[in-house]
Amino acid sequence: LVQGFSEARADEGTVWVLDEAREHLVPVYNSGVHADLFVGKFRQPLKAGLICMVFANEQPFVENEVYKNSQQSKLLDRTLGVQTYALIAVPLYFLDGCRGVVSCVQLRQSPVSADGPQGFTPVALRSVQRAVTTVSRLIELRLINLTLGLSSD
């Protein structure tokens, strides 16, 4: 994932999974400097935001200047004191279902400076999609190994 985020020129990326109550997406991994502040702690309501839209419609999403989009949830940005400038979000599948979303962002620190990130390209989206597909297959392999007792854990 980190390689995919890097190839996309993202500042950081997050893996979001559905909680047990099926009401929120919860970050379980983040590659950025703010990870300790929200991984496993923050909860994004399924009825709000672009990440949850990607989960609901199972379609990848990329947008530059996403902070101008009224559908973008500002909850996490306010918590971290940043502004999401650009967003890529890709559904995360394993065991024949969409189980979450992988997102990556380009950030601007608040207060907003005049010179911002360059944004994402279609090539960036493909890099993240390739990384997410690889991680999905690794998760499935791990689960198969655990189910068949092939794991040393």
Side-chain angles (χ1 to χ4, degrees):
L1 279 177
V2 172
Q3 181 179 343
F5 299 152
S6 178
E7 288 174 6
R9 296 199 168 114
D11 294 322
E12 63 184 56
T14 304
V15 176
W16 303 83
V17 296
L18 187 62
D19 69 354
E20 288 184 40
R22 304 184 66 82
E23 295 174 354
H24 300 89
L25 288 179
V26 178
V28 295
Y29 170 80
N30 177 270
S31 65
V33 298
H34 299 107
D36 290 344
L37 299 175
F38 74 98
V39 170
K41 300 172 187 172
F42 182 80
R43 300 169 68 77
Q44 179 65 45
L46 276 182
K47 296 181 181 182
L50 296 171
I51 300 296
C52 293
M53 177 195 74
V54 169
F55 178 76
N57 69 22
E58 298 184 27
Q59 296 296 314
F61 179 86
V62 60
E63 185 170 354
N64 297 318
E65 297 184 354
V66 70
Y67 61 92
K68 294 179 181 178
N69 186 329
S70 63
Q71 292 182 321
Q72 186 226 0
S73 173
K74 310 289 192 245
L75 291 172
L76 188 55
D77 281 6
R78 283 194 296 267
T79 299
L80 301 177
V82 298
Q83 181 185 57
T84 300
Y85 177 81
L87 168 71
I88 291 176
V90 176
L92 174 65
Y93 296 96
F94 56 92
L95 299 178
D96 291 327
C98 185
R99 308 295 178 187
V101 173
V102 175
S103 66
C104 64
V105 295
Q106 291 178 345
L107 299 173
R108 293 199 295 195
Q109 299 299 318
S110 295
V112 177
S113 62
D115 56 329
Q118 295 178 352
F120 292 121
T121 65
V123 172
L125 174 60
R126 286 193 296 275
S127 294
V128 175
Q129 286 177 302
R130 184 173 48 253
V132 172
T133 298
T134 301
V135 167
S136 294
R137 290 178 180 159
L138 289 170
I139 290 170
E140 288 181 336
L141 179 61
R142 178 75 171 136
L143 292 172
I144 289 168
N145 284 338
L146 288 170
T147 301
L148 297 177
L150 300 175
S151 175
S152 61
D153 293 356

